[in-house]
Amino acid sequence: MAFNRIKLWGIASALVIGLIACEQKKTEPVQEEKEVQKEEIQEFPNEGKIAYVNIDSLEKHYVYLNEKRKELNNRQNAIENELKRMNTQYESKMKELQEKYQKGTLTQEEAEKGEKDLMSLQQRFEQRQYETQNELLSLQENLMRDLQEKLNNFIEKYNADKKYAYILSYGEGGSILYADPKYEITNDVIEGMNAEEKKDKE
């Protein structure tokens, strides 16, 4: 009986040792996987996180946008002055005809010609007003599209090594009600985009 007990004890010990060895083999890959994940986290500490850009600040401090806005404002002022001159010409012609009529020196021929001239001036004014409104709208749309493209291209390069899961736009009156300042990357974006613009000019 003693021999059988020793034999059984030996078998049980062998089984226990075998199970422990198997468990060690099972846990080793898990530990290795955890170590790999830890290395990835150290390499890309922002991975899975969210950042945001304050669009109001970007629009205020982005040099390229401010320069383009000045050009747009100059064009708008030029158009307004052009329309004012056309309107002044119309009013001057109207006043001339009214004065002649009041003095009784306006002939039938002058009245008919003056009426045609006024209609022509009004039509030209309305046509030009329509054209310039479309021109300004097109310039604004092109500028916003250009800005969005530049921002997208920069963000793509910027996030290549940052590995943010999302980079959102935040602005006054937008859909995001609150944004924690520690997740803001606006200054990085402004400095980076201005640096790129300066490099392009050089």
Side-chain angles (χ1 to χ4, degrees), residues 79 82-91 93 113-133:
I79 287 171
E82 179 187 352
L83 294 174
K84 281 180 183 178
R85 286 194 299 271
M86 294 180 72
N87 189 55
T88 300
Q89 186 181 3
Y90 178 89
E91 290 178 348
K93 185 67 177 177
K113 184 178 183 304
E115 187 178 356
K116 287 181 181 179
D117 289 344
L118 287 174
M119 287 182 64
S120 177
L121 287 170
Q122 184 177 1
Q123 288 174 354
R124 282 171 54 198
F125 177 84
E126 290 175 354
Q127 178 65 26
R128 189 65 186 133
Q129 189 177 40
Y130 174 78
E131 290 172 353
T132 53
Q133 283 177 346

Side-chain angles (χ1 to χ4, degrees), residues 130-142:
Y130 174 78
E131 290 172 353
T132 53
Q133 283 177 346
N134 286 339
E135 180 188 347
L136 288 174
L137 182 61
S138 178
L139 288 172
Q140 289 173 346
E141 288 176 348
N142 289 340

Side-chain angles (χ1 to χ4, degrees), residues 4-188:
N4 287 337
R5 283 193 193 130
I6 292 169
K7 189 174 180 182
L8 288 172
W9 176 254
I11 293 170
S13 299
L15 285 171
V16 170
I17 292 168
L19 287 171
I20 291 170
C22 287
E23 286 299 319
Q24 285 178 344
K25 285 180 182 178
K26 286 179 183 178
T27 55
E28 281 176 4
V30 175
Q31 290 175 352
E32 287 177 3
E33 188 177 338
K34 286 181 179 179
E35 287 175 2
V36 169
Q37 289 176 351
K38 191 180 291 183
E39 287 176 3
E40 288 177 353
I41 291 170
Q42 289 174 352
E43 187 177 357
F44 302 117
N46 298 323
E47 190 162 16
K49 292 186 178 180
I50 295 175
Y52 72 91
V53 177
N54 189 313
I55 295 299
D56 297 331
S57 295
L58 176 63
E59 290 182 356
K60 185 177 179 181
H61 299 289
Y62 184 29
V63 173
Y64 172 82
L65 179 59
N66 290 328
E67 289 176 350
K68 290 298 179 182
R69 275 181 171 168
K70 284 181 182 178
E71 292 177 10
L72 186 60
N73 287 335
N74 290 338
R75 181 59 186 145
Q76 185 172 355
N77 290 335
I79 287 171
E80 287 175 357
N81 290 333
E82 179 187 352
L83 294 174
K84 281 180 183 178
R85 286 194 299 271
M86 294 180 72
N87 189 55
T88 300
Q89 186 181 3
Y90 178 89
E91 290 178 348
S92 178
K93 185 67 177 177
M94 174 74 79
K95 185 178 180 181
E96 180 187 345
L97 292 171
Q98 286 176 343
E99 286 176 351
K100 283 187 176 183
Y101 176 77
Q102 289 170 359
K103 291 177 181 178
T105 59
L106 184 67
T107 66
Q108 182 69 24
E109 185 180 352
E110 286 178 331
E112 290 176 356
K113 184 178 183 304
E115 187 178 356
K116 287 181 181 179
D117 289 344
L118 287 174
M119 287 182 64
S120 177
L121 287 170
Q122 184 177 1
Q123 288 174 354
R124 282 171 54 198
F125 177 84
E126 290 175 354
Q127 178 65 26
R128 189 65 186 133
Q129 189 177 40
Y130 174 78
E131 290 172 353
T132 53
Q133 283 177 346
N134 286 339
E135 180 188 347
L136 288 174
L137 182 61
S138 178
L139 288 172
Q140 289 173 346
E141 288 176 348
N142 289 340
L143 176 58
M144 289 300 101
R145 186 163 48 247
D146 191 26
L147 174 63
Q148 189 65 54
E149 185 178 346
K150 285 180 176 290
L151 178 58
N152 289 344
N153 290 339
F154 178 81
I155 289 296
E156 185 177 352
K157 288 183 284 186
Y158 174 83
N159 200 42
D161 60 344
K162 300 294 188 295
K163 298 293 181 181
Y164 287 108
Y166 297 96
I167 296 180
L168 309 176
S169 64
Y170 171 76
E172 192 68 30
S175 58
I176 300 175
L177 300 179
Y178 172 76
D180 192 325
K182 71 182 179 181
Y183 298 113
E184 183 173 2
I185 59 170
T186 308
N187 288 337
D188 287 350

Side-chain angles (χ1 to χ4, degrees), residues 195-202:
E196 282 191 353
E197 186 61 25
K198 185 178 179 181
K199 186 178 178 181
D200 290 342
K201 286 183 178 179
E202 291 174 352

